[in-house]
């Protein structure tokens, strides 16, 4: 019989407090992980996300604008790729119908 695993949900506030404690506190990451019953890899992931978000927020306006433009370009390319994929699939179905 399979056992359903229940995952705990941490709020953004809880994650922030744990990450800040890992960055400034006297406790080691291992101690914090044991205290909060979380995996070391999870805390490291939260730290990376936290620091990346902070770095992005502190970028200059021009850098943020450039990053936003790149995101828009990626979205346009993804939509175009989706359209082309559909066209190829439809063409393949038509060709199979002629056989």
């Amino acid at each position: 019989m399979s056992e359903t695993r229940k995952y705990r949900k941490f709020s953004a506030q809880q994650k922030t407090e744990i990450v800040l404690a890992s960055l400034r506190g006297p406790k080691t990451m291992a101690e914090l992980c044991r205290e909060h019953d979380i995996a070391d890899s999870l805390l490291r992931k939260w730290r990376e996300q936290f620091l990346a978000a902070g770095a992005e927020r502190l970028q200059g306006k021009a850098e943020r604008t450039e990053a936003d433009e790149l995101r828009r370009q990626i979205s346009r390319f993804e939509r175009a790729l989706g359209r082309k994929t559909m066209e190829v699939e439809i063409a393949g179905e038509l060709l199979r119908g002629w056989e």
Side-chain angles (χ1 to χ4, degrees):
M1 181 182 235
S2 68
E3 183 180 315
T4 9
R5 188 168 197 168
K6 294 190 179 187
Y7 293 96
R8 292 177 297 149
K9 299 277 185 185
F10 289 90
S11 68
Q13 180 66 32
Q14 290 171 313
K15 292 176 185 179
T16 301
E17 288 171 4
I18 295 169
V19 167
L20 288 175
S22 76
L23 292 172
R24 72 166 110 97
K27 293 183 182 178
T28 65
M29 284 184 56
E31 290 171 329
L32 285 168
C33 289
R34 278 192 299 274
E35 182 180 319
H36 296 284
D37 193 28
I38 58 175
D40 182 67
S41 59
L42 180 61
L43 180 53
R44 288 185 189 284
K45 182 174 121 181
W46 289 350
R47 280 174 56 138
E48 288 172 14
Q49 291 172 341
F50 183 85
L51 295 172
E56 184 174 331
R57 182 72 178 134
L58 293 174
Q59 288 178 344
K61 184 175 174 111
E63 291 171 339
R64 279 196 305 269
T65 304
E66 183 179 334
D68 291 340
E69 177 57 31
L70 290 173
R71 284 188 192 98
R72 281 191 289 275
Q73 275 185 336
I74 289 170
S75 293
R76 283 195 302 267
F77 291 146
E78 286 173 339
R79 285 192 302 274
L81 177 61
R83 283 192 301 271
K84 292 299 176 189
T85 301
M86 284 180 55
E87 290 172 6
V88 167
E89 288 175 359
I90 291 170
E93 287 176 17
L94 289 173
L95 286 174
R96 280 190 293 277
W98 285 26
E99 293 176 347

